Amino acid sequence: MDLQDKSVVITGAASGIGAATALHMGALGAKIAASDIDLEGLEDIVSHIKMAGGTALAHRVDVTDFDQVTELMAKAKETYGSVDIVVCNAGIGGKEQRKTAEHTHEDWHNVIAVNQTGVFYTMKAALKHMKRQGHGSIVNVASLAGLKPSGYNLSYSASKFAVVGMTKSAALEYGKDHIRINAVCPGYTKTPLLDKLLDFRPEMEETLRKLIPMDRFGEVDEIAEAIAWLASDHAKFITGQTLVLDGGTSLL
Ligand SMILES: NC(=O)c1ccc[n+]([C@@H]2O[C@H](COP(=O)([O-])OP(=O)(O)OC[C@H]3O[C@@H](n4cnc5c(N)ncnc54)[C@H](O)[C@@H]3O)[C@@H](O)[C@H]2O)c1
């Protein structure tokens, strides 16, 4: 697959799925604008892309701040000439896993701000450029938790169902503008986000594995490859869809 000279903006690119996507798309020839709140992690990823002969820049952005997201898109446009692909990946889980009546207001507001409002802000800022240039492709990183219920996780569940809804609604609006908007829905994937959940409830590891017919967690590279394909012209008639990568969990 070839992403030669495509300008790609990725949020949450310092770790996990976002970092793997930045490295993979950079290796395919894309020019990467990598963003995250973690500048140190970001600079490490950017230097890996450059050492492999790729093109990348690091820009510290908190996706809950619309002005920062707007600046990120402007920076990508100014540096690379266009904003061809945007991957809305930044996301967090709640600090605590509790049933709905005990779900904390803090977790609710933080998770909705990053996972839901952050995707809205990032799409909004990206679409301004994409509409003007007459093309674009957005991939939102939702979750299996955005398609199926998951207990002890209300804000995360609400935010990921919202990402799926925003993906489909925006895709409907921008088809005529040659802008495709899709989502990937990973199941349980080995990243620091999953580690945090398992640190809180270690007994969950065995329980979760039993929910995966392929009997293993997903790898970040597997998600990154799907994101790159969905974003690329190889998927040029696909819009408003959710691509599930879960080792079969959704079959149960
Ligand atoms: N790991 C899984 O099992 C799994 C499953 C389904 C979906 N997802 C989704 O994949 C995406 C990536 O998660 P991951 O597992 O790679 O987690 P991760 O914790 O490894 O990476 C998330 C990145 O987002 C960044 N981030 C957090 N808040 C931010 C903010 N306000 N602004 C900008 N960046 C911010 C973090 O600094 C981090 O680098 C998330 O949207 C997550 O919900 C993960």
Side-chain angles (χ1 to χ4, degrees), residues 107-167:
D107 270 352
W108 175 267
H109 290 298
N110 289 340
V111 171
I112 296 297
V114 178
N115 296 11
Q116 183 170 339
T117 309
V119 169
F120 163 54
Y121 284 172
T122 310
M123 287 205 298
K124 183 177 160 99
L127 284 164
K128 288 254 160 66
H129 291 275
M130 290 178 170
K131 190 144 166 41
R132 211 173 296 135
Q133 70 201 14
H135 71 271
S137 174
I138 296 176
V139 177
N140 293 326
V141 181
S143 171
L144 191 55
L147 298 172
K148 291 186 65 154
S150 50
Y152 302 90
N153 221 357
L154 197 76
S155 52
Y156 191 79
S157 169
S159 69
K160 293 301 184 178
F161 268 82
V163 172
V164 170
M166 291 191 289
T167 300

Side-chain angles (χ1 to χ4, degrees), residues 15-17 36 61-63 89 141-143 156 160 186-187 189 191-193:
S15 170
I17 292 169
D36 203 292
V61 170
D62 180 339
V63 294
N89 164 79
V141 181
S143 171
Y156 191 79
K160 293 301 184 178
T189 308
T191 68
L193 189 139

Side-chain angles (χ1 to χ4, degrees), residues 190-241:
K190 270 202 292 192
T191 68
L193 189 139
L194 182 68
D195 289 343
K196 265 182 227 155
L197 170 72
L198 297 179
D199 284 349
F200 190 71
R201 295 178 63 193
E203 76 285 359
M204 287 279 284
E205 173 146 10
E206 200 44 42
T207 314
L208 293 183
R209 278 176 73 104
K210 286 199 186 116
L211 294 175
I212 310 171
M214 288 181 73
D215 196 30
R216 65 171 177 84
F217 293 115
E219 300 287 342
V220 289
D221 292 346
E222 294 167 330
I223 314 300
E225 282 177 26
I227 292 172
W229 177 80
L230 200 49
S232 78
D233 291 344
H234 293 274
K236 64 182 188 294
F237 201 44
I238 301 177
T239 196
Q241 301 305 306

Side-chain angles (χ1 to χ4, degrees), residues 28 43 97 133 220:
L28 293 172
E43 280 170 347
Q97 305 292 306
Q133 70 201 14
V220 289

Side-chain angles (χ1 to χ4, degrees), residues 6-29:
K6 296 275 188 200
S7 162
V8 179
V9 175
I10 306 175
T11 65
S15 170
I17 292 169
T21 303
L23 290 165
H24 181 58
M25 291 175 102
L28 293 172

